[in-house]
Amino acid sequence: SAEAFPCPARRGGLPKIAAVCAGAHHSLLLTQDGAVWSCGKGTAGALGHGGRADSAAPRAIVALKGLRVVAMAAGQAHSAFVSEDGALFTCGACANGRLGVHATHPPTVSEGGARSVADAATSAPRRMCPLPARVLLPEGVCAAQVAAGIDHTVVRSRDGRILTFGRGQAGQLGTGDRKDRAAAFELPMPPPAAAEDAEDAATAATAALSAPRDEEDAATPAGCSRGPGGARARGGGGVESGSAP
């Protein structure tokens, strides 16, 4: 039988929660003061506690202490966090580059953090990163929003740029190919003028489709074109006449 655990909220152990998100086997809770708690399956390090142990009750991610988190996402076996100053952090399974972390450049979470993320990353290839590690974004890019798929991550910057990394086998990264990306890749966006032209064209097409047809056109079934003498020529070689020969 399942082991019963007391609810932390009932004993005053859980602070007020502002946002939540759920992965395949773990959950993330964002408090009103910007701290993150996690619980669930910890095998891949997605809980961010520094180990692989599961947690049946929410625990604060101590490695993020000193940061105010404003956005977060939970994938199948990884987690991502955006801090108030626009920095991006990830932890969990490293396969397919879903964390976007370069193992040869392990940055720390913060000077005041309880444990340095550098302790969780080495120059050797790793299968998991059990502590949040900072993702190296292009110069000048500040993260604002993050989303996580099964094994890929998508980031929106404050100025509207989109960056992706992780598995690309199904084209989910939007890079135009099916390659995996282990580093944040900025998607090329159409210039504003091109985007406006495309929107105008779509609006015109919608208006044309919704415009009323005259009675004759309205009486013509779909897939038919009206010919001389009222004959309706149907595609596929068939001909239907509007009057007897």
Side-chain angles (χ1 to χ4, degrees):
S1 60
E3 184 178 358
F5 288 86
C7 176
R10 293 178 182 173
R11 64 172 185 243
L14 194 64
K16 291 184 178 180
I17 302 301
V20 298
C21 62
H25 305 289
H26 71 293
S27 302
L28 301 177
L29 315 176
L30 179 63
T31 70
Q32 291 184 345
D33 61 359
V36 182
W37 293 51
S38 63
C39 59
K41 189 173 183 178
T43 304
L47 300 185
H49 297 151
R52 300 166 58 100
D54 295 349
S55 180
R59 292 174 52 198
I61 300 180
V62 181
L64 292 174
K65 183 179 180 180
L67 296 175
R68 183 179 181 86
V69 174
V70 296
M72 61 185 184
Q76 183 178 46
H78 74 293
S79 302
F81 315 95
V82 175
S83 66
E84 189 175 36
D85 61 357
L88 176 67
F89 302 87
T90 58
C91 62
C94 296
N96 306 108
R98 73 190 75 180
L99 298 188
V101 174
H102 292 284
T104 53
H105 301 283
T108 59
V109 164
S110 66
E111 295 298 329
R115 288 183 62 184
S116 168
V117 202
D119 296 337
T122 67
S123 57
R126 298 181 62 87
R127 293 179 131 187
M128 57 173 279
C129 187
L131 287 173
R134 185 166 182 170
V135 178
L136 301 179
L137 299 175
E139 185 176 356
V141 172
C142 291
Q145 184 181 4
V146 64
I150 293 178
D151 42 23
H152 77 291
T153 307
V154 182
V155 181
R156 182 181 66 83
S157 70
R158 290 178 181 174
D159 58 0
R161 288 184 274 183
I162 304 298
L163 302 99
T164 61
F165 48 88
R167 189 172 189 176
Q169 184 181 24
Q172 60 264 55
L173 299 185
T175 57
D177 56 36
R178 297 175 183 272
K179 298 178 181 179
D180 294 353
R181 295 288 197 285
F185 181 91
E186 182 177 346
L187 301 186
M189 304 297 289
E196 292 176 4
D197 291 344
E199 183 177 356
D200 292 343
T203 302
T206 302
L209 290 174
S210 61
R213 298 178 296 176
D214 57 34
E215 294 181 0
E216 185 178 27
D217 288 341
T220 304
C224 300
S225 60
R226 185 170 295 277
R232 296 194 301 269
R234 182 177 297 274
V239 176
E240 293 182 359
S241 175
S243 58

